[in-house]
């Protein structure tokens, strides 16, 4: 195993502290060695007690559990027992924006952020409200400008973008059993 006790302990304590202070329906943390992909630590919240694996009180109140039909209760158990880090598909979100900017040929290209972009008939709002106006890729990345970065992605074209994602191993199996 490549799991480090100290790293694992820090992850678990941090997740607990975060959830005690802010609360979360689900939190997952993975710490990897970026040079070789070794998993140095991994944890999920909520967790379950191996001695009492059907205790879902961290997710549901007694009233909610009493109102659940048996199939929903079983679904709740499975949800608690799975390791989200290896079994759930994540939308990469803003982290993915760095890969869009990384593959642009010119960092001086300017696009206009008007506050939203439309993708597959879905309106995706920018975090700038009414829009940021004219922006460069660097500025768009620093401000996490959804509208501008969608435009830059379109400038790359889907074939080029997919080719780069393949180089970075996106969409490929992790080889974690």
């Amino acid at each position: 195993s490549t799991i480090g006790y100290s790293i694992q302990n820090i992850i678990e304590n941090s997740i607990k502290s975060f959830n005690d202070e802010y609360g979360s329906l689900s939190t997952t943390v993975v710490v990897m060695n970026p040079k070789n992909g070794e998993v140095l630590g991994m944890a999920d919240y909520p967790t379950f007690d191996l001695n009492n694996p059907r205790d879902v009180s961290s997710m549901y109140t007694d009233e909610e559990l009493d109102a659940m039909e048996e199939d929903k209760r079983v679904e709740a158990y499975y949800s608690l027992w799975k390791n989200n880090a290896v079994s759930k598909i994540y939308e990469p979100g803003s982290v993915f924006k760095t890969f869009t900017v990384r593959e642009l040929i010119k960092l001086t290209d300017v696009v206009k952020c008007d506050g939203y972009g439309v993708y597959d008939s879905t309106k995706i709002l920018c975090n700038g409200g009414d829009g940021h106006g004219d922006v460069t890729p660097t500025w768009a990345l620093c401000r996490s400008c959804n509208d501008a970065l969608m435009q830059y992605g379109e400038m790359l074209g889907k074939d080029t973008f997919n080719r780069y994602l393949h180089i970075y191993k996106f969409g490929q199996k992790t080889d974690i059993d």
Side-chain angles (χ1 to χ4, degrees):
S1 172
T2 58
I3 300 290
Y5 173 78
S6 296
I7 294 171
Q8 186 67 30
N9 193 37
I10 290 168
I11 293 170
E12 290 180 14
N13 287 333
S14 297
I15 286 176
K16 178 162 180 7
S17 295
F18 174 82
N19 283 284
D20 286 349
E21 186 170 344
Y22 300 104
S24 169
L25 293 177
S26 175
T27 304
T28 301
V29 175
V30 178
V31 176
M32 295 176 73
N33 180 337
K35 293 181 180 173
N36 59 18
E38 289 177 338
V39 176
L40 305 175
M42 178 187 306
D44 275 336
Y45 174 89
T47 60
F48 67 94
D49 180 352
L50 289 169
N51 295 314
N52 190 8
R54 286 184 166 74
D55 177 11
V56 289
S57 61
S58 63
M59 297 170 61
Y60 302 98
T61 65
D62 289 338
E63 294 80 24
E64 290 172 320
L65 286 171
D66 290 341
M68 268 187 204
E69 293 180 20
E70 186 62 26
D71 60 333
K72 290 295 180 188
R73 189 179 294 234
V74 169
E75 204 174 286
Y77 296 149
Y78 285 137
S79 155
L80 183 63
W81 297 335
K82 73 179 176 186
N83 181 341
N84 288 324
V86 295
S87 64
K88 191 171 184 178
I89 296 173
Y90 293 92
E91 182 178 308
S94 292
V95 174
F96 212 61
K97 293 174 182 175
T98 57
F99 294 94
T100 304
V101 171
R102 166 65 180 94
E103 300 313 329
L104 288 172
I105 296 169
K106 296 185 330 187
L107 292 177
T108 55
D109 286 336
V110 174
V111 297
K112 183 172 185 75
C113 168
D114 59 6
Y116 69 93
V118 177
Y119 177 76
D120 197 24
S121 73
T122 300
K123 188 175 185 178
I124 299 173
L125 299 176
C126 190
N127 65 359
D130 293 331
H132 294 112
D134 292 339
V135 298
T136 63
T138 303
W139 193 97
L141 185 60
C142 289
R143 299 293 193 284
S144 196
C145 178
N146 295 330
D147 184 14
L149 285 155
M150 287 171 58
Q151 292 177 57
Y152 289 123
E154 288 175 355
M155 288 169 67
L156 282 172
K158 68 179 181 181
D159 293 336
T160 301
F161 195 63
N162 282 332
R163 187 173 77 246
Y164 284 121
L165 295 181
H166 182 73
I167 291 169
Y168 291 119
K169 309 288 185 197
F170 280 97
Q172 297 182 18
K173 292 184 177 182
T174 61
D175 293 328
I176 297 175
D177 293 338

